[in-house]
Amino acid sequence: MSLTISLYIMALVVLNIGGCWWLLAKTKNLRADEDANGKVQHSYDGIEEYNKPLPRWWLWLFYITIFFAIGYLVLYPGFGHLPGVLGWSQAAQHEQEVKAAEEKVAPLYAGFAAKSVTELSQDPAALAVGSRLFGNNCATCHGADAKGAPGFPNLTDKDWIYGGDADTIKLTITGGRQGMMPAFGSSLDEPTQLAVRHYVLSLSGRDHDKDLAGQGKATFETICAACHGLEGKGNPMLGALNLTDDVWLYGGTQGAIADTIKNGRNGVMPAHGELLGESRIHVLAAYVLSLSAKQ
Amino acid sequence: MPGDIPVQQLYVKAPKIYVKPVGGVFAKLRVAAMWLLLGWYYLAPWLTWDNRQAILFDLPGRKFHLFGLTLWPQDFIFLTWLLILAALALFFFTAVSGRLWCGYACPQTVWTKAFMWMERITEGERNARMKLDKQPLSFEKIRKKTAKHSLWIVFALFTGFTFVGFFVPIRELSADMLNGSLGGWGWFWVLFYSFATYGNAGKLREQVCIYMCPYARFQGAMFDRDTLIIAYDSKRGEPRGARRKDVPRGHDGLGDCIDCMQCVHVCPTGIDIRDGLQVACIACAACIDACDEVMVKMDYPKGLIKYTTEHRDSGKETHVLRPRILLYGALLLGLFVLFIYALSVRMPLRVDVLRDRGRLYSMTSLGTIENVYTLKVMNLDQDAHRYRLQASAEAPVTVKAETEFVVPGGEIVNVPVRLEIDPYELSEVTSTVHFRIESLDKQDVVVDETSSFIKPANTGAR
């Protein structure tokens, strides 16, 4: 707020409050013309009006509102750019509320922290909290039912890209993941890409051309096996996918696989360590663990 | 300004009204109404139902408990109905019998009456009170005033405490207050309502009716010439004046009004009913009782001030059944029956369907389309129930979710549901899906909800 605007607002405020005061002071002793019967000296259609003065406390109410306004402007921000003597601000109040909320839930999370993730995954109270955390932070990508979508892993099956034990899940949530498959569109020619595609299809028993798959096997075992392993069973250390289980992160159709080989894939799971904090991630991991335990 | 006119200010100190108690038919009715209403108010929060407070407006829990009924925020329409019913009832009774509410049932009237009774037992009758206020400060004056205000404050505190007890379980509240563990806000509201009671019933009294009450303002709109009003029979009463007891009635040229001012002294708003119907009259009928007492003493017939109607006063007939009454009555009855019916068939189950916010749809590796929804299943009943979920659309639907689940009484459970449809079976990019949730252990508890199913635009219908 520039000083000019601030001064302008101050002037307006002073003028208005002063104006209210002046109006009250001017009118409180006004005289009403009334005759001996207490009637005001005008009639209309034979209807006459009594003079009915308001009770005096009514006037005091008006004055109180003025004092209230002045008191408010002294205590709180409002008088131009002045912050008010209480130093109140929206941001500070928000931080205070957050702190109060954290303090309120701290004992709850302390109770959860005392148990292992595996124990918590059986605890209905922890799962209720976990499901809400999941709904707020994870469901946007993984879906409300955690069954994922193309590019976003299904968390309810037994198929884990980086490993499904409690510590790994916590690590994934805390630090995030960068799933990277390089693009082979420039290093492999079209026929080779086609052959590799059919070999990949054959790994999980999908429809494929036997001859092409046979041609692709050698290329797969020299290039792709570096990450996916000789048998194509993937590598949790690298986040390389298992190509033999017919679970497809980016789609298992001919087109989708061709696209993956040609252009590569970049999967990002954002890091939530800063956002959620250790105690919440502990509970969340238990919830994620419980999802696949149901299967 | 002419000099003979006295100077009058726009504001004057409100005159203090000293009300004289009165006996009689209507006075007894008013006392009965006071006992009934105050008794109900102070007792109601202590009633229990199913191991909980029978009447509890649980604001943080967002549930209103009324005996066997629990209302949720989604039932807000019932509150709206109730308010409409209350307004219609007010119109109806006002049109028929004037300001019944003000004189007999309004909290302002009822609590003022209780406060006046305390004033009477501590400071004495009307004349004694006037004298007490005029006399200089003395030990006796301090003693009486202290006694009065102590009684008032205790009663007001109890009132404020009871009021908060409708919103916070009153047994916990009383325990918290006694052992000092009630928080700042709790105390604030208890004291706030106590102060409001003390101020309204002790200090402001009739000024609330005259200067603040909105209902008093639009009374006139509901009155007609057949409405019951309290009126002074000026034809019979005028010319008024004091008289000797030995002159027979009517022989000294005077009317029946002996100008004893009893009707003014008993009036809680301090008006003179002999000036005619006026906005400050709350129709409490105290002046009728007072005047009848005097008439009996004078051996005159009762009813110089009486309940009457404008038509009757001008010698015409009073029509109780008139279009206005019939219309108000029909509306009131119709709405009331509908209200009771709606409450009785209220489905103890509600479902809100929320589409996932993350994405419109996702394609499976088989080329089918999936949409994800979250069903918020609310069991409005007091007991747990098991429910079954089904989904349908214009094409065959595969439901990928747990289709049977239990919801505890009064709880909400989130049920994530994934629907899978072949996009080539759907004619539109956005089509409707129907969810049906039914209770497996309670007859006729079924809720149908719809949502939309979205598929990619490049999958044309066959």
Side-chain angles (χ1 to χ4, degrees), chain B residues 331-348:
Chain B
L331 274 174
L332 188 60
L333 189 72
L335 267 178
F336 182 71
V337 168
L338 270 173
F339 178 74
I340 297 296
Y341 172 76
L343 263 185
S344 64
V345 301
R346 176 174 165 261
M347 189 65 74

Side-chain angles (χ1 to χ4, degrees), chain A residues 27 29-34 51 53-57 59 140-141 143-145 147-150 152 206 252-253 294, chain B residues 1 5-14 204 207 211-212 356-359 362-363 365 372 374 400 402 416 418:
Chain A
T27 54
N29 289 324
L30 273 191
R31 296 159 183 190
D33 312 347
E34 61 166 33
N51 177 34
L54 279 170
R56 188 151 284 276
W57 53 258
L59 180 71
T140 315
C141 297
D145 58 353
K147 285 191 168 60
F152 303 98
R206 289 173 88 83
T253 58
K294 282 186 205 164
Chain B
M1 253 179 60
I5 289 166
V7 170
Q8 181 70 46
Q9 296 185 328
L10 283 193
Y11 304 95
V12 292
K13 192 172 183 313
L204 287 171
Q207 297 185 47
Y211 298 109
M212 304 180 200
D356 244 27
R357 293 176 302 192
R359 64 175 49 72
S362 57
M363 194 179 267
S365 51
V372 185
T374 304
K400 296 181 167 175
E402 289 182 45
R418 180 171 294 241

Side-chain angles (χ1 to χ4, degrees), chain B residues 19 58 60-61 73 92 118 254 274 284 292 311 421 449:
Chain B
V19 181
D58 183 1
F92 178 77
M118 290 175 213
L254 288 173
R274 294 171 301 174
C284 67
D292 279 351
H311 268 154
I421 303 180
E449 279 290 331

Side-chain angles (χ1 to χ4, degrees), chain B residues 104-121:
Chain B
Y104 297 86
C106 177
Q108 180 68 27
T109 305
V110 170
W111 260 283
T112 300
K113 202 164 167 52
F115 268 59
M116 281 179 178
W117 173 78
M118 290 175 213
E119 193 167 57
R120 218 165 44 240
I121 59 172

